[in-house]
Amino acid sequence: MRYGVAGMAASLTGWTATAAEPDVFVVSQIVDMSAQQQDVSRDFVAGSKAAWQTLNIKGGIRGKKIQHVVTETDGSTTAVKNAWNAALADPRCIAISGCVGSTVSEQLSALQMSSAKGKTLPIIAPWLHSPPDKASREGVFDIFAGQHQQIEFAVRSLAIMGVPRVVSIFSSALYEQQSRSQVEKAASATRIAVDYVPAAKLSQGGYKYQPDVPVVLFLGGTLELHEFIKQMAMPAGRQCYVIALADVNLQVLAQMSKIPSQISVVATQVVPPVTSGTAVVREYRDALSRLFDEEPTPQGLAGFIAAKFTESTIARSAQPWSRSSLLATLRKQEDSDLGGFNVLFEKGTRISQYVTQTVIARDGRVLR
């Protein structure tokens, strides 16, 4: 059973500390619950909540429980800034973990850069598809493959299959601005020819896309992809493959409407398949089945992994825990094995960039 935004607000808000609980450690999660993003954010936060609740049920870290506080925003600059300022002003808050989606993560990275020197609030494991620039990396510790790695993986996979040409579709001007150069670079490296349908053309009323090329690289979210598929005018006997990124929730897409048999949808994922036997996947599925009436999703698993990485960082940090002790631990850049999801470093650079793909079957099931 899936719940709406109101249900999320009620079920995922952290409890409030009292004067009798002075030794409270808060991990904040700032999320974008706008219409275009909420399908990803909802599952991501549910996965994070499952991890933190499981941890606290087991007694916390070194006997201390962690207060997981979720702040929902509409993704606007004002709302994200207010959420950031609230977390920054709370002396109990030692980190922001698993902020989602990518626009919120980018805004938080920029706000962190403008904070007073020496008062850095670490941002851990964000859903950050456009990684922060070098100047802002000091306090941002991402563990997931970014948008450009996903694009490279998708295009390289097509090249291996012998695909000579693709059409790149941008669902919005923002996606076009963020992604076009990345698509061009990946296509050039693999010698795949690329045609482009700009966001302005896609947004025209009554526009119908008739694929001349059988492979489409779609840059956008779940709702935008749903609308695009409805606009596709498929000639009889023609098959089209639509390749999307991890910003598309395939489970939600399959629930929204039946995908025509002539269209196959594939999406990159930055976590192991939720059907795999990896230890962290088994742990996620077990926690989800015990705590929520929810189906496992890649986005939920990503939220679970983000929380687990933050938990392991706190556990390795010197007490009393603080922002500075967590930063000191993170800056050591120690390799982490989160039950099969590895975060690896070499000479000060994260070298682990896990990317795979999943596909929707004709009966609506999401396959590896």
Side-chain angles (χ1 to χ4, degrees):
M1 179 180 67
R2 294 191 172 275
Y3 38 72
V5 177
M8 282 289 292
S11 65
L12 297 183
T13 301
W15 46 266
T16 301
T18 68
E21 300 170 305
D23 194 13
V24 172
F25 299 93
V26 170
V27 170
S28 176
Q29 187 169 25
I30 299 172
V31 302
D32 179 357
M33 291 300 291
S34 61
Q36 290 73 23
Q37 178 65 34
Q38 68 172 274
D39 61 287
V40 169
S41 294
R42 177 188 56 215
D43 286 1
F44 195 98
V45 173
S48 294
K49 186 186 179 189
W52 290 117
Q53 283 197 6
T54 299
L55 171 70
N56 286 333
I57 289 170
K58 293 179 178 179
I61 304 172
R62 301 180 197 170
K64 297 182 183 295
K65 296 185 178 182
I66 305 296
Q67 180 184 352
H68 174 221
V69 176
V70 178
T71 303
E72 298 179 1
T73 76
D74 59 5
S76 66
T77 301
T78 299
V80 174
K81 186 175 182 179
N82 289 341
W84 165 262
N85 286 335
L88 197 64
D90 185 351
R92 305 168 305 154
C93 182
I94 56 177
I96 290 179
S97 171
C99 49
V100 57
S102 58
T103 300
V104 164
S105 298
E106 289 165 12
Q107 290 183 65
L108 290 173
S109 177
L111 287 165
Q112 186 192 69
M113 285 183 64
S114 65
S115 296
K117 188 176 181 180
K119 293 188 176 182
T120 301
L121 178 58
I123 299 174
I124 304 173
W127 187 250
L128 193 58
H129 292 308
S130 296
D133 58 39
K134 190 174 182 180
S136 66
R137 282 190 178 275
E138 176 66 13
V140 180
F141 303 90
D142 53 303
I143 65 173
F144 301 116
Q147 187 181 66
H148 65 284
Q149 285 102 0
Q150 294 179 57
I151 291 172
E152 288 172 2
F153 180 91
V155 174
R156 187 170 63 251
S157 298
L158 294 173
I160 291 172
M161 293 169 59
V163 175
R165 179 181 293 274
V166 301
V167 176
S168 185
I169 305 287
F170 302 103
S171 67
S172 68
L174 178 61
Y175 270 102
E176 187 167 7
Q177 178 185 354
Q178 291 177 339
S179 310
R180 179 153 182 163
S181 63
Q182 298 169 359
V183 173
E184 291 172 348
K185 182 179 179 181
S188 176
T190 54
R191 298 184 180 179
I192 288 182
V194 183
D195 300 328
Y196 295 94
V197 176
K201 187 173 183 179
L202 192 66
S203 63
Q204 292 175 2
Y207 173 74
K208 290 286 185 181
Y209 176 72
Q210 182 168 325
D212 298 318
V213 178
V215 180
V216 168
L217 179 61
F218 183 85
L219 285 304
T222 309
L223 291 178
E224 293 92 346
L225 180 54
H226 171 68
E227 290 300 316
F228 172 70
I229 289 174
K230 289 199 304 183
Q231 293 175 3
M232 294 179 73
M234 295 294 298
R238 186 78 61 85
Q239 186 76 23
C240 184
Y241 293 86
V242 179
I243 314 299
L245 303 187
D247 282 332
V248 169
N249 189 321
L250 291 181
Q251 280 88 339
V252 171
L253 182 68
Q255 292 169 4
M256 292 176 75
S257 64
K258 185 176 180 180
I259 298 173
S261 60
Q262 290 175 272
I263 301 171
S264 297
V265 180
V266 180
T268 59
Q269 304 295 349
V270 297
V271 294
V274 296
T275 55
S276 75
T278 308
V280 71
V281 174
R282 295 198 307 269
E283 187 179 357
Y284 162 64
R285 294 176 68 96
D286 177 67
L288 205 64
S289 66
R290 284 186 293 102
L291 298 170
F292 306 115
D293 181 20
E294 289 286 309
E295 291 295 324
T297 67
Q299 290 79 14
L301 176 59
F304 188 83
I305 288 173
K308 294 291 290 182
F309 181 75
T310 306
E311 173 194 330
S312 70
T313 299
I314 297 171
R316 298 196 312 269
S317 299
Q319 288 185 294
W321 297 322
S322 65
R323 299 171 187 182
S324 59
S325 69
L326 264 63
L327 283 168
T329 299
L330 290 161
R331 286 167 181 161
K332 292 177 183 177
Q333 297 182 323
E334 298 173 345
D335 293 347
S336 298
D337 180 358
L338 304 172
F341 182 88
N342 298 308
V343 183
L344 307 175
F345 299 90
E346 185 176 284
K347 296 180 179 179
T349 301
R350 182 171 61 90
I351 59 173
S352 52
Q353 305 287 353
Y354 186 94
V355 186
T356 187
Q357 287 181 318
T358 55
V359 61
I360 297 181
R362 290 188 177 182
D363 62 2
R365 290 179 301 117
V366 177
L367 307 176
R368 179 175 172 24

